[in-house]
Amino acid sequence: MQSGFANRMHIGLIMDGNGRWATARGLPRVRGHQAGVKAIRPVVEAAAEAGVGTLTLYAFSSDNWRRPAAEVSGLMALLGRYLREEIATLARSGVRLGFIGRRDRLPAGLAARIAEAERETAGAERLHLRIAFDYSARDAILAAALQAAQAAQAGPGLSREAFSRLVTGDGAPDVDLLIRTGGEQRLSDFLLWECAYAELLFLDRMWPDFGPADLTQALARFARRERRFGEVPEAAVAA
Ligand code: IPE
Ligand code: IPE
Ligand code: MG
């Protein structure tokens, strides 16, 4: 469960552009993914510093299985390395790590390492870092619907809040700010339910070049947005 994270900000981050970053430098795509992994730590630290409660990183979509086998296995290996190298640091800096997405198609060792990482950081309360891996928002929504039907919770008795818990799996709050790097302006099956009222920010910068200053700037832009949730703005009511 999310407990203390639930009433703080949730940022969703689509880390896109690794391949183009590498190609532009005459490097193989996997080198872009390596550079992309390096970019994660300072951004996570900056998010925690800024008081963000939840940060969900899109690392591997269920559709990414359709990429060449060598790229896919490179990405699997990188996640394994990330977990080996980062868990101690994350635990020390108060980051609770959680994964969303399927685990049954991952190499067995990787699934075990994920479970271990979640156990080792379970008590942390500064930032909830969620990694979406073999993740599809539509599959998550479908799985929640099947679960609700099986538990006979469906029908008029099922509240949005209860269904949200089934969709998120861990009670994560709705996304407040969705950032996508790499210049594309689409969601690519990421957190579709949770982004109902998210502010969307599409940045041209490729993910390996994204740093803490970009996060700070994104937060400043978010602060200037007027969120309405369907209501009439206050100034208009007074007028
Ligand atoms: C995002 O970068 C990382 C993953 C999808 C795993 P891409 O690999 O999609 O990079 P581009 O979009 O091809 O540049
Ligand atoms: C979305 O990026 C997935 C991740 C960043 C992990 P893609 O590069 O796979 O998305 P499309 O194919 O451009 O929509
Ligand atoms: Mg891409």
Side-chain angles (χ1 to χ4, degrees), residues 29 112 125 143 153 166 197 228 237:
R29 290 177 59 87
E125 290 186 345
Q153 284 177 348
L166 295 178
Y197 273 100
R228 292 191 191 157
V237 175

Short mmCIF file of all heavy atoms in Angstrom, two decimals, residues 29 112 125 143 153 166 197 228 237:
data_model
loop_
_atom_site.label_atom_id
_atom_site.label_comp_id
_atom_site.label_asym_id
_atom_site.label_seq_id
_atom_site.Cartn_x
_atom_site.Cartn_y
_atom_site.Cartn_z
N ARG A 29 22.13 1.02 -30.67
CA ARG A 29 21.02 1.45 -29.82
C ARG A 29 21.22 1.09 -28.35
O ARG A 29 20.85 1.85 -27.45
CB ARG A 29 19.71 0.84 -30.32
CG ARG A 29 19.22 1.41 -31.64
CD ARG A 29 17.95 0.69 -32.09
NE ARG A 29 16.89 0.81 -31.11
CZ ARG A 29 16.03 1.83 -31.07
NH1 ARG A 29 16.08 2.80 -31.97
NH2 ARG A 29 15.09 1.87 -30.15
N ALA A 112 13.18 -12.74 -9.74
CA ALA A 112 13.58 -12.96 -8.34
C ALA A 112 14.28 -11.71 -7.80
O ALA A 112 14.05 -11.29 -6.66
CB ALA A 112 14.49 -14.17 -8.24
N GLU A 125 10.25 5.59 2.90
CA GLU A 125 9.06 6.47 2.82
C GLU A 125 9.30 7.81 2.15
O GLU A 125 8.41 8.64 2.07
CB GLU A 125 8.51 6.70 4.23
CG GLU A 125 7.88 5.44 4.79
CD GLU A 125 7.19 5.67 6.13
OE1 GLU A 125 7.45 6.71 6.77
OE2 GLU A 125 6.42 4.78 6.52
N ALA A 143 -6.97 -6.59 -16.65
CA ALA A 143 -6.75 -7.50 -15.51
C ALA A 143 -7.60 -7.06 -14.32
O ALA A 143 -8.18 -7.90 -13.60
CB ALA A 143 -5.28 -7.53 -15.13
N GLN A 153 -17.28 -8.07 -7.47
CA GLN A 153 -17.33 -6.69 -6.99
C GLN A 153 -17.89 -5.78 -8.07
O GLN A 153 -18.16 -4.62 -7.82
CB GLN A 153 -15.91 -6.18 -6.71
CG GLN A 153 -15.31 -6.72 -5.43
CD GLN A 153 -13.87 -6.22 -5.28
OE1 GLN A 153 -13.28 -5.68 -6.21
NE2 GLN A 153 -13.33 -6.40 -4.11
N LEU A 166 -7.41 -1.74 -7.91
CA LEU A 166 -7.17 -2.95 -8.71
C LEU A 166 -6.29 -2.63 -9.91
O LEU A 166 -5.41 -3.41 -10.28
CB LEU A 166 -8.51 -3.55 -9.18
CG LEU A 166 -9.45 -4.08 -8.09
CD1 LEU A 166 -10.74 -4.60 -8.72
CD2 LEU A 166 -8.78 -5.17 -7.27
N TYR A 197 -6.52 13.10 -15.46
CA TYR A 197 -6.40 14.55 -15.34
C TYR A 197 -4.94 15.01 -15.23
O TYR A 197 -4.67 16.09 -14.71
CB TYR A 197 -7.22 15.07 -14.15
CG TYR A 197 -8.66 15.35 -14.56
CD1 TYR A 197 -9.68 14.43 -14.29
CD2 TYR A 197 -8.99 16.50 -15.25
CE1 TYR A 197 -10.99 14.66 -14.69
CE2 TYR A 197 -10.29 16.75 -15.66
CZ TYR A 197 -11.28 15.83 -15.37
OH TYR A 197 -12.57 16.07 -15.78
N ARG A 228 -8.22 22.19 -13.49
CA ARG A 228 -9.62 22.53 -13.22
C ARG A 228 -10.48 21.33 -12.85
O ARG A 228 -11.52 21.49 -12.23
CB ARG A 228 -10.23 23.18 -14.46
CG ARG A 228 -9.64 24.55 -14.75
CD ARG A 228 -10.46 25.24 -15.81
NE ARG A 228 -9.78 26.43 -16.30
CZ ARG A 228 -10.02 26.97 -17.47
NH1 ARG A 228 -10.93 26.42 -18.28
NH2 ARG A 228 -9.39 28.05 -17.84
N VAL A 237 -16.01 32.31 -11.32
CA VAL A 237 -17.15 32.22 -10.41
C VAL A 237 -17.40 33.59 -9.76
O VAL A 237 -18.51 34.06 -9.65
CB VAL A 237 -16.92 31.14 -9.31
CG1 VAL A 237 -18.05 31.15 -8.29
CG2 VAL A 237 -16.79 29.77 -9.95
#
